[in-house]
Amino acid sequence: MNAPFTHGEIGVLMQKGQEDLLQMVNNVIRQMKSDGSLRKLHEKYGLVYAYE
């Protein structure tokens, strides 16, 4: 496996005041963390998974 080329966190841009969209995005990220799919994406693209 190659060494990671970057370290970062998840960022999603949206207009201020879109609370329904913010809640949906947060729910999806939470689900991806719990089912392991977020970790798999990090591994696929050589990113560091730092969400333990």
Side-chain angles (χ1 to χ4, degrees), residues 13-35:
L13 298 175
M14 63 189 73
Q15 283 187 328
K16 197 173 193 176
Q18 291 185 303
E19 296 302 318
D20 55 340
L21 178 59
L22 176 61
Q23 189 64 32
M24 183 195 68
V25 169
N26 285 338
N27 288 339
V28 169
I29 292 170
R30 192 175 303 109
Q31 180 63 39
M32 290 178 75
K33 285 179 181 180
S34 69
D35 70 13

